[in-house]
Amino acid sequence: MTLLSVTGVSRRFGDVTALDDVSLDIVQGEFFALLGPSGCGKTTLLRVLAGFERPDTGTVTLDGADLLALPAHRRPVNLMFQSYALFPHMTVEKNIAYGLHREGLPKDEIRARVAGVLATIGLPGAAKRRPNQLSGGQRQRVALARAIVKRPRLLLLDEPLSALDKKVRAEMQLELKRLQHEVGITFVVVTHDQEEAMSLADRIAVFSEGRVEQVDAPVSLYRRPRTRFVADFVGANNLFDGVLRDGGVEVPGVGSGPLPCEPPGDLPAGSPVVLSVRPENVRFDDEGPLAGTVMDTSFFGGVSRVAVEVGGLTRPVELTVPGTAPADPGKPVRLSWNPDRAILIGPA
């Protein structure tokens, strides 16, 4: 069931268009990510949902009711800030209870809710501590507890893990997902971190220059990008600009014949296209259509990333191989891939 519906929302700041006719539907209980580079409009949309910005055009409904008609403090929406914004002079329990006191709830109910949410985030013994006595991950949990204790219909998270180091961030990604399922609140998270979005979200909306490029589940987004921007932004990729021919994609300047791909169902021969091949789908092949020279190899524990310079291409072709690289820099190699692992994006 659709909980939040954003239809035709635009927001301009002078000559800058932050949001350009954005439409999205978010389902009840979903973990939804807004992903894109800095300045793409994702945080502006979050501020519109929270009530801190007013769109120039468009509508936003929550459960069918006009969300834009409500002031920020009356919306059944809570926002967890990137900086956590905890009160340093208050204890953990008072930080969490602050919003409930402002609502005038009975003290017994406040105590019960705070105790319950502290147990949920795994910090039942931290009630009397102050924020400066907590680790970064613990402060993040307290900020999340303060956001969910009011039981909003929709929780907005603005780059919630950006202040954490890599190891703690990975742990908190799992924690966020667990908490979201446990409390049953719809989460909308803003991030520029692809791995974070892919690991957390049920669906992702990829933004570019104020517009939504694609909305999809993480696996579909990775395997079937619909635009060049999505193919280039989400994960590592090899992109070949060319023209569709009967035998594959002909790339100007690469005189090795058409590059392999599955026959398209809706694109005629002669169409300009982008051929997308993920590094893990490229392999060394003595009979392969691409000839090049190994430029560099990088070892990442279980796998190695190899960069191959191919004449006629402005960017090296990347491939991922298990273990250590079988070829040293300077060695001539040939490359290929299975046609069904190459994605056609058209027109270019």
Side-chain angles (χ1 to χ4, degrees):
M1 180 182 73
T2 298
L3 173 70
L4 181 76
S5 185
V6 178
T7 306
V9 166
S10 296
R11 182 71 173 102
R12 296 173 183 83
F13 300 95
D15 295 333
V16 177
T17 301
L19 295 172
D20 188 2
D21 194 28
V22 171
S23 295
L24 292 169
D25 286 325
I26 298 174
V27 177
Q28 172 70 43
E30 190 170 34
F31 202 129
F32 195 92
L34 308 178
L35 174 66
S38 298
C40 68
K42 56 190 188 297
T43 297
T44 300
L45 179 59
L46 204 74
R47 291 176 59 83
V48 167
L49 300 180
F52 302 144
E53 293 286 350
R54 184 84 186 177
D56 299 313
T57 60
T59 62
V60 181
T61 60
L62 187 73
D63 264 346
D66 184 6
L67 190 66
L68 299 180
L70 298 174
H73 67 280
R74 293 190 59 196
R75 297 185 183 190
V77 175
N78 221 335
L79 173 61
M80 178 177 160
F81 293 97
Q82 182 176 352
S83 63
Y84 306 154
L86 299 176
F87 299 116
H89 63 288
M90 292 185 181
T91 63
V92 165
E93 63 181 355
K94 288 184 178 179
N95 263 284
I96 295 172
Y98 181 80
L100 302 180
H101 282 297
R102 292 291 300 268
E103 290 182 355
L105 296 182
K107 291 184 179 179
D108 288 346
E109 182 177 350
I110 292 175
R111 278 194 294 269
R113 281 210 203 178
V114 171
V117 79
L118 278 171
T120 297
I121 65 169
L123 292 175
K128 301 300 182 182
R129 297 184 195 173
R130 296 184 187 274
N132 64 0
Q133 297 174 304
L134 304 176
S135 68
Q138 288 172 328
R139 288 195 294 272
Q140 196 264 0
R141 294 187 194 193
V142 173
L144 183 62
R146 186 177 61 182
I148 65 178
V149 74
K150 294 181 67 175
R151 299 172 184 171
R153 299 296 311 282
L154 184 67
L155 179 60
L156 311 174
L157 303 100
D158 185 12
E159 302 277 5
L161 308 181
S162 62
L164 305 179
D165 62 47
K166 185 174 182 179
K167 184 175 184 298
V168 176
R169 187 184 302 124
E171 293 171 354
M172 289 310 303
Q173 286 173 0
L174 295 175
E175 187 71 9
L176 267 181
K177 192 71 173 175
R178 181 189 69 80
L179 284 171
Q180 193 264 340
H181 281 297
E182 190 167 314
V183 300
I185 296 171
T186 303
F187 279 23
V188 177
V189 60
V190 158
T191 182
H192 64 271
D193 188 318
Q194 306 161 35
E195 291 184 6
E196 186 170 292
M198 299 287 277
S199 64
L200 287 175
D202 299 310
R203 286 192 303 148
I204 301 170
V206 181
F207 277 70
S208 174
E209 298 182 344
R211 299 185 66 87
V212 176
E213 292 274 330
Q214 184 173 343
V215 180
D216 232 324
V219 173
S220 298
L221 198 68
Y222 185 82
R223 291 181 176 173
R224 295 286 173 182
R226 296 178 197 154
T227 70
R228 183 192 180 96
F229 177 84
V230 173
D232 198 29
F233 185 76
V234 178
N237 216 337
N238 297 296
L239 301 177
F240 306 94
D241 293 289
V243 177
L244 186 62
R245 302 299 184 198
D246 290 337
V249 175
E250 183 181 292
V251 178
V254 179
S256 54
L259 300 183
C261 65
E262 280 195 323
D266 55 353
L267 290 174
S271 298
V273 293
V274 175
L275 187 68
S276 161
V277 189
R278 298 288 183 185
E280 63 270 22
N281 295 325
V282 183
R283 61 175 182 256
F284 292 112
D285 180 354
D286 291 340
E287 304 298 324
L290 281 184
T293 303
V294 174
M295 289 178 57
D296 183 54
T297 63
S298 303
F299 182 60
F300 296 98
V303 299
S304 292
R305 179 66 59 85
V306 183
V308 176
E309 184 177 25
V310 175
L313 299 180
T314 58
R315 291 169 55 177
V317 176
E318 294 187 352
L319 64 154
T320 303
V321 296
T324 57
D328 295 325
K331 181 180 178 180
V333 293
R334 299 191 75 90
L335 307 174
S336 72
W337 52 81
N338 290 330
D340 61 354
R341 296 302 181 93
I343 305 303
L344 276 179
I345 302 170

